[in-house]
Amino acid sequence: MPDTIGTEPAKNCPLCPRLAAFRAENRQKFPDWHNAPVPCFGPTDAHLLIVGLAPGLRGANRTGRPFTGDFAGKLLYQSLLKYRFATGQYHERPDDGLTLHDCRIINAVRCVPPENKPLPAEIATCNQFLRAEISRMPNLRAILALGGIAHQASLRAFGLKPGFAKFAHGTTTTLPNGITLTDSFHVSRLNTNTGRLTTPMFEAIIATLHP
């Protein structure tokens, strides 16, 4: 049977032709990798949803778990463990036993984009899956957007225009439905290596997100 489109993107989701072609290319090069839309990670009854940008080529696209296997996951999961949003140990693989508590992770774009740069049309197309995920979280109270694209995607998921709230690291906006949207620079290697985002800066944000 052909793949269908529902609340989760199908393994062979055709909605973004450029991403589908890149996915097929990587399946040829790396047949043992995940090479498919990356599912969410964490319980649906969580109060916190963390929204990232997109799977990294050798990270989540390889392992099949958000922020797992590349540099960005180190600071994220280290901070979640420190502030009790996670238990276990992070070993950069999906079978490391790491468990999330009261926290769920999703990417604004579920398939890996070339050069880690999704196009505006791809971000818009994939937003339906972010909306669907939000609707599955009855206890959702807070969203942490990692980067400007995640910020805008989160606003779009609630039917809000980009001008409703500008992205700025460390800011928190209360949306019309009462859910709070907190912004952080992305936990990318570029941001951490240049000092744009430091460990204390990111931990300070995570520390505020407990209910």
Side-chain angles (χ1 to χ4, degrees):
M1 295 178 61
D3 288 312
T4 57
I5 304 301
T7 58
E8 284 288 306
K11 179 180 180 180
N12 295 310
C13 180
L15 296 180
C16 300
R18 188 181 74 116
L19 301 188
F22 190 54
R23 190 173 62 225
E25 177 185 325
N26 282 298
R27 284 179 181 172
Q28 291 291 324
K29 291 181 179 178
F30 312 107
D32 295 333
W33 288 11
H34 177 72
N35 290 318
V38 174
C40 303
F41 177 40
T44 57
D45 62 354
H47 103 278
L48 171 64
L49 179 65
I50 298 175
V51 182
L53 171 57
L57 176 61
R58 297 180 181 278
N61 179 65
R62 175 174 60 86
T63 64
R65 192 178 74 181
F67 291 93
T68 300
D70 58 15
F71 186 86
K74 295 180 180 179
L75 176 56
L76 175 62
Y77 288 121
Q78 168 188 305
S79 300
L80 293 179
L81 284 163
K82 181 173 181 177
Y83 289 95
R84 303 182 305 283
F85 281 111
T87 55
Q89 293 184 324
Y90 173 60
H91 290 304
E92 302 186 32
R93 62 178 192 269
D95 62 349
D96 56 14
L98 185 75
T99 301
L100 297 186
H101 302 282
D102 204 22
C103 171
R104 190 161 170 84
I105 302 174
I106 189 175
N107 279 312
V109 176
R110 302 285 283 272
C111 292
V112 60
E115 300 180 350
N116 291 321
K117 295 178 180 179
L119 301 177
E122 294 162 350
I123 300 167
T125 297
C126 210
N127 197 256
Q128 63 184 287
F129 301 117
L130 178 56
R131 292 196 305 270
E133 192 59 37
I134 288 171
S135 71
R136 296 179 61 211
M137 299 182 68
N139 300 322
L140 182 63
R141 298 292 180 270
I143 293 175
L144 172 61
L146 301 181
I149 289 177
H151 169 89
Q152 294 297 340
S154 298
L155 291 178
R156 182 193 292 267
F158 289 103
L160 300 171
K161 295 182 178 180
F164 181 85
K166 293 184 178 180
F167 173 83
H169 177 83
T171 63
T172 295
T173 302
T174 300
L175 305 182
N177 56 12
I179 292 173
T180 60
L181 174 63
T182 298
D183 294 338
S184 172
F185 292 135
H186 196 281
V187 288
S188 66
R189 182 189 294 270
L190 176 62
N191 283 342
T192 54
N193 281 357
T194 59
R196 190 181 193 212
L197 179 66
T198 65
T199 296
M201 286 171 62
F202 188 65
E203 288 185 348
I205 288 178
I206 296 296
T208 69
L209 293 172
H210 275 286

